[in-house]
Amino acid sequence: MGTHTDAHIVWDWNGTLFHDVDAVIGATNAAFAELGLEPLTLERYRELYCVPVPKFYERLMGRLPSAAEWELMDSTFHRHYTRHHVRCGLAEGVVELLAGWASAGRSQSILSLYGHEELVPLVRGFGIETHFLRVEGRTGPSGGGKAEHMVRHLSALAGVDPGRTVVIGDAADDAVAALHVGARAVLYTGGSHGRASLEAVGVPVVDTLREAVGEAERLVGA
């Protein structure tokens, strides 16, 4: 990306830069159907969703899923998501926002809990990869949180100060991960969480990614 100032954004991918909520709901309901659970509406999903994902299932089932149930639901989710996410696109204004942040000499990266091997070609396919210092997805088992991934992600970015970093995501877990490393967070209502659950975290909550970038600039004085 060339020379950059010390202001940095760590973007979430699913539900933030990538507007895939319809595919997520469809895949979630397919996973629920395997255990005879009732399908969720988008509103109900946003009300209940949390990370780690087995806790989300516990809210619906009244108990944590067994290891066999988790494996079945997780594999079903990913199979259906892979089939349907190809119809999804970037959130409104993403290309312009990424280019504007980069052209101001600031840096940015992606950290996602989506599988790394699937994430990288997807980002590349939208032609936005060059805006990022690093594009990093999950390696290893799914279902966990982002905090320790954030530690490794920022430590791999030379010259990026966590105190001048803002994490932008759609889940409370994004804010938890930001606070874990001493960064700031802005949460976006266009993905997995409703506004009420995001506001409970105590960080700025916005309805558009343009507002999110504006909040990021305010938080780090960019």
Side-chain angles (χ1 to χ4, degrees):
M1 275 181 53
T3 303
H4 56 84
T5 68
D6 58 351
H8 184 81
I9 289 176
V10 178
W11 293 96
D12 175 54
W13 179 249
N14 302 94
T16 304
L17 292 177
F18 189 48
H19 186 66
D20 62 348
V21 66
D22 291 338
V24 168
I25 294 297
T28 298
N29 284 332
F32 287 172
E34 292 285 352
L35 297 186
L37 298 174
E38 292 295 317
L40 291 175
T41 63
L42 174 59
E43 291 72 23
R44 184 66 171 158
Y45 177 90
R46 284 175 166 166
E47 178 185 342
L48 295 174
Y49 181 76
C50 65
V51 174
V53 177
K55 294 290 291 183
F56 170 50
Y57 291 154
E58 181 182 25
R59 291 181 174 185
L60 292 156
M61 300 169 66
R63 60 175 176 81
L64 281 169
S66 68
E69 288 171 333
W70 164 251
E71 184 176 345
L72 174 62
M73 296 172 78
D74 189 50
S75 62
T76 301
F77 174 90
H78 287 289
R79 185 172 68 253
H80 281 264
Y81 180 81
T82 298
R83 184 184 308 160
H84 296 294
H85 84 274
V86 294
R87 299 197 297 268
C88 302
L90 298 174
E92 182 178 356
V94 161
V95 174
E96 294 79 13
L97 290 171
L98 296 177
W101 185 266
S103 67
R106 305 160 185 159
S107 62
Q108 52 200 325
S109 59
I110 292 175
L111 177 62
S112 174
L113 294 179
Y114 189 43
H116 185 76
E117 296 303 318
E118 293 78 28
L119 173 67
V120 172
L122 188 54
V123 173
R124 187 173 296 145
F126 283 111
I128 59 174
E129 185 183 20
T130 56
H131 292 308
F132 304 108
L133 294 178
R134 186 176 182 87
V135 175
E136 185 174 3
R138 171 187 50 79
T139 57
S142 62
K146 190 177 278 188
E148 293 307 318
H149 296 281
M150 187 68 71
V151 173
R152 292 190 294 271
H153 182 76
L154 289 185
S155 67
L157 298 175
V160 171
D161 176 6
R164 297 277 293 156
T165 296
V166 179
V167 177
I168 297 178
D170 68 314
D173 185 59
D174 291 301
V176 171
L179 295 173
H180 185 67
V181 296
R184 309 291 187 88
V186 179
L187 298 178
Y188 163 62
T189 63
S192 60
H193 282 39
R195 174 173 279 276
S197 61
L198 294 179
E199 288 180 338
V201 181
V203 302
V205 177
V206 298
D207 296 319
T208 70
L209 293 183
R210 185 168 298 280
E211 292 175 284
V213 171
E215 280 294 317
E217 291 175 331
R218 181 184 68 80
L219 288 171
V220 297

